[in-house]
Amino acid sequence: MAKHFLRLIFFISASLLLAQEVSQERLVRFALWAQQDAYPGYFDGDATDEEQAKNKSDADDSINSVPIRKIKELAPYIVQGMVYGWKFDYTPSDKARKVPEFFDVTEVTPMPSQDLARISFAKPWYQEEKLWAWVEYARTPEQIYIFKSWHAILYPRIKGVGYARLSEGFDGIRKACEEALKNAVREYERTRIKTKPKQIEGTALIIKPPQIGIDAGRYKVTLDFFMQSDRIIEYKTF
């Protein structure tokens, strides 16, 4: 009886996990939040005169105008990473060779304006002085094929966490996303490559809704990826 109960629990847990995975196949869906009060640097500090004017104009219209605009600015970046993925170019730091660390992220395939226009924001709610909304994007048949292709091949699954200063506003979340990818790539390649490589190039697809929060006064972003290593260049001599 106990064994049957444990098998049932395992089956239910596995089914729920599978349902979460499959749910992203046709509809990209994840939650984004923005604080309702003024963001650090939006009205002064790092913001340009033009940005300050725009933010103040938004703030005069509605208490939610700035959060809504920032959510809409960030959403396409993450949708891009879940639909087509990001390409990365990583040069690990090497003190002995005096090589600084370099990491660059670019879009695999820029999404056309008509696709970006189909990103929707549903069921907003308020929680702990934050405005939340579901970001939704229905994949095209071609994009569903891309999604299935990534899942059909046994690409390694990697996971990383990135941080950024709150004072950087929503640009900080983008930086934290890039750092999450860099850390995921670095930790995975460390298990495979004994000698530190000169350069790693590859492609990564976000496979789960991002987890975005605040930890110790910083943005914290956790991302899960499928990763394809396109090219690894090793040092020929020291």
Side-chain angles (χ1 to χ4, degrees):
M1 183 70 178
K3 289 184 179 179
H4 176 74
F5 179 74
L6 290 175
R7 289 196 192 99
L8 179 62
I9 293 295
F10 176 79
F11 175 77
I12 293 174
S13 300
S15 298
L16 290 173
L17 179 61
L18 182 61
Q20 291 174 354
E21 296 282 343
V22 174
S23 67
Q24 296 289 329
E25 179 179 320
R26 297 184 178 276
L27 180 69
V28 173
R29 191 172 192 261
F30 58 92
L32 278 184
W33 58 265
Q35 291 172 302
Q36 289 179 273
D37 56 353
Y39 288 92
Y42 279 11
F43 299 103
D44 49 28
D46 296 334
T48 65
D49 292 342
E50 183 179 353
E51 288 171 336
Q52 290 182 43
K54 176 60 178 174
N55 292 328
K56 288 178 180 178
S57 174
D58 283 345
D60 291 339
D61 292 339
S62 167
I63 189 174
N64 291 323
S65 294
V66 174
I68 290 171
R69 180 160 63 86
K70 292 303 176 181
I71 287 176
K72 289 183 176 181
E73 288 175 0
L74 179 64
Y77 177 74
I78 297 178
V79 170
Q80 167 71 46
M82 299 181 76
V83 173
Y84 292 114
W86 297 330
K87 292 190 71 69
F88 62 86
D89 183 351
Y90 180 38
T91 299
S93 65
D94 193 315
K95 294 181 179 179
R97 295 183 173 89
K98 298 181 179 180
V99 176
E101 183 180 71
F102 172 80
F103 190 78
D104 184 57
V105 178
T106 57
E107 300 172 341
V108 173
T109 303
M111 294 183 69
S113 57
Q114 61 266 28
D115 283 354
L116 294 176
R118 292 194 296 104
I119 298 175
S120 62
F121 304 87
K123 301 179 180 178
W125 75 95
Y126 301 98
Q127 183 178 343
E128 298 179 353
E129 298 183 355
K130 295 183 179 69
L131 173 65
W132 290 77
W134 286 104
V135 179
E136 298 181 345
Y137 174 80
R139 299 181 196 263
T140 65
E142 177 189 2
Q143 292 164 351
I144 292 174
Y145 175 79
I146 293 172
F147 178 89
K148 290 181 176 180
S149 297
W150 274 94
H151 283 72
I153 300 174
L154 296 178
Y155 289 114
R157 298 183 64 150
I158 62 176
K159 182 175 183 176
V161 179
Y163 296 89
R165 300 192 308 272
L166 289 177
S167 61
E168 296 181 272
F170 264 47
D171 287 339
I173 296 180
R174 291 175 62 104
K175 290 182 180 180
C177 287
E178 294 182 3
E179 184 179 87
L181 176 56
K182 181 191 72 176
N183 290 337
V185 172
R186 180 174 59 191
E187 292 306 312
Y188 172 74
E189 295 297 357
R190 277 178 175 175
T191 65
R192 298 196 317 128
I193 306 173
K194 295 182 179 180
T195 304
K196 185 181 295 185
K198 180 179 180 181
Q199 184 180 11
I200 303 172
E201 294 180 356
T203 308
L205 182 80
I206 301 174
I207 56 176
K208 288 185 178 181
Q211 299 177 33
I212 303 173
I214 296 177
D215 180 50
R218 299 177 297 171
Y219 285 116
K220 178 182 178 181
V221 177
T222 304
L223 294 175
D224 293 78
F225 304 91
F226 280 140
M227 187 192 76
Q228 175 182 329
S229 297
D230 298 329
R231 185 171 68 154
I232 298 177
I233 302 175
E234 299 182 358
Y235 288 102
K236 294 182 179 180
T237 58
F238 188 83

